[in-house]
């Protein structure tokens, strides 16, 4: 079926808004004003409403009676849900990917890990970390599973950027190296167990609010 112009525009709008939400440019609870967004993108209200529906389906926005559409908030319960879902789905993908992993793929995954370890800011770390996971999982050849994992990584990125918006601590990812070593040596089940533990770990970071108060932010650093 041929795409209609509004479908394409709605997708572009939803991707742009999703990036702003994930990166923290649009904060939890912030209202998404239909008129302003339509004007920004030179669109009618139809593709904007469709974009809002897509954001709601991703868990990035909520529609409230008489309050309109707002950026969704999140709490520790949601972070735990994403971590547990990632653990299950990424292990499933890895088990299907293992027979198709090559030395070249593992070398590229190792390079992504080195890039993450030397990252000086949270955005470059997140991009390198996501590249590592994608490289070892993509050979599973299961596009629906990979799409679901991509959505969970987007949620993970949002938690991460919220927790580390103003600072970042360089880190060495020993789990990535252990996963790679196990895969190179044919210990696939051990690699799967390390991956399951790795993505299920939730970190806690003190964050100062705009009001000058300190709160604890939770994120998946894996």
């Amino acid at each position: 079926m041929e795409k209609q112009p509004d479908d394409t525009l709605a997708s572009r709008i939803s991707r742009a808004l999703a990036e702003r939400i994930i990166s923290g440019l649009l904060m939890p609870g912030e209202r998404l004003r239909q008129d302003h967004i339509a004007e920004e993108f030179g669109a009618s209200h139809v593709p904007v409403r469709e974009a809002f529906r897509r954001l709601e389906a991703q868990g990035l926005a909520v529609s409230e009676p008489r309050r309109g559409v707002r950026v969704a908030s999140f709490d520790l319960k949601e972070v735990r849900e994403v971590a547990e879902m990632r653990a299950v789905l990424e292990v499933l993908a890895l088990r299907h990917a293992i027979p198709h992993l090559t030395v070249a793929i593992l070398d590229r995954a190792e390079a992504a890990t080195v890039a993450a370890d030397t990252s000086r800011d949270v955005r470059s770390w997140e991009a390198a970390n996501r590249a590592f996971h994608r490289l070892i999982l993509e050979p599973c050849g299961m596009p629906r599973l990979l799409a679901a994992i991509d959505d969970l990584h987007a949620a993970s990125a949002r938690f991460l950027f919220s927790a580390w918006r103003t600072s970042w601590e360089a880190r060495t990812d020993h789990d990535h190296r252990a996963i790679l070593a196990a895969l190179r040596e044919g210990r696939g089940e051990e690699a799967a167990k390390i991956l399951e533990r790795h993505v299920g770990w939730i970190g806690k970071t003190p964050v100062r609010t705009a009001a000058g108060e300190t709160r604890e932010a939770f994120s998946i650093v894996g």
Side-chain angles (χ1 to χ4, degrees):
M1 180 178 179
E2 185 179 350
K3 281 189 174 183
Q4 299 299 314
D6 275 354
D7 290 336
T8 302
L9 186 53
S11 178
R12 183 162 63 87
I13 294 170
S14 66
R15 285 197 302 270
L17 294 177
E19 171 60 25
R20 295 174 194 178
I21 293 170
I22 290 167
S23 67
L25 290 176
L26 291 172
M27 298 296 291
E30 189 169 340
R31 186 176 176 188
L32 299 177
R33 299 182 181 276
Q34 188 177 120
D35 289 345
H36 293 178
I37 293 169
E39 182 179 356
E40 176 185 351
F41 288 91
S44 69
H45 286 184
V46 174
V48 176
R49 285 195 293 268
E50 173 60 26
F52 285 173
R53 284 193 288 270
R54 297 183 187 196
L55 292 173
E56 288 182 63
Q58 291 178 278
L60 296 176
V62 291
S63 178
E64 301 173 340
R66 296 182 298 279
R67 296 189 67 192
V69 178
R70 296 181 180 272
V71 176
S73 300
F74 60 85
D75 55 20
L76 178 57
K77 181 179 178 182
E78 184 175 350
V79 178
R80 282 179 175 152
E81 180 183 14
V82 170
E84 291 180 14
M85 290 178 68
R86 276 189 59 190
V88 172
L89 296 185
E90 291 195 32
V91 166
L92 174 62
L94 181 61
R95 286 185 172 134
H96 283 273
I98 284 171
H100 310 290
L101 290 173
T102 64
V103 172
I105 291 172
L106 296 177
D107 286 348
R108 290 168 62 199
E110 186 168 355
T113 290
V114 172
D117 289 349
T118 56
S119 294
R120 296 185 178 181
D121 60 77
V122 65
R123 291 186 70 87
S124 58
W125 180 89
E126 192 278 331
N129 180 69
R130 192 187 299 215
F132 169 85
H133 286 263
R134 184 75 189 197
L135 280 163
I136 65 170
L137 301 180
E138 191 166 23
C140 75
M142 303 170 75
R144 290 185 181 180
L145 176 59
L146 290 170
I149 292 171
D150 283 344
D151 284 345
L152 293 171
H153 270 274
S156 291
R158 186 183 181 210
F159 306 149
L160 188 73
F161 295 154
S162 175
W164 294 95
R165 191 163 50 244
T166 58
S167 63
W168 176 246
E169 296 174 2
R171 63 198 62 220
T172 298
D173 202 318
H174 298 291
D175 282 349
H176 281 192
R177 284 168 169 75
I179 290 167
L180 286 171
L183 291 173
R184 289 186 190 279
E185 295 167 14
R187 294 179 280 114
E189 195 53 38
E190 181 179 340
K193 289 179 180 178
I194 299 170
L195 177 64
E196 182 178 17
R197 183 191 71 233
H198 173 66
V199 300
W201 187 81
I202 296 172
K204 183 170 62 175
T205 311
V207 174
R208 289 185 67 81
T209 67
E213 300 173 345
T214 300
R215 64 175 179 84
E216 290 183 337
F218 299 92
S219 60
I220 304 165
V221 190

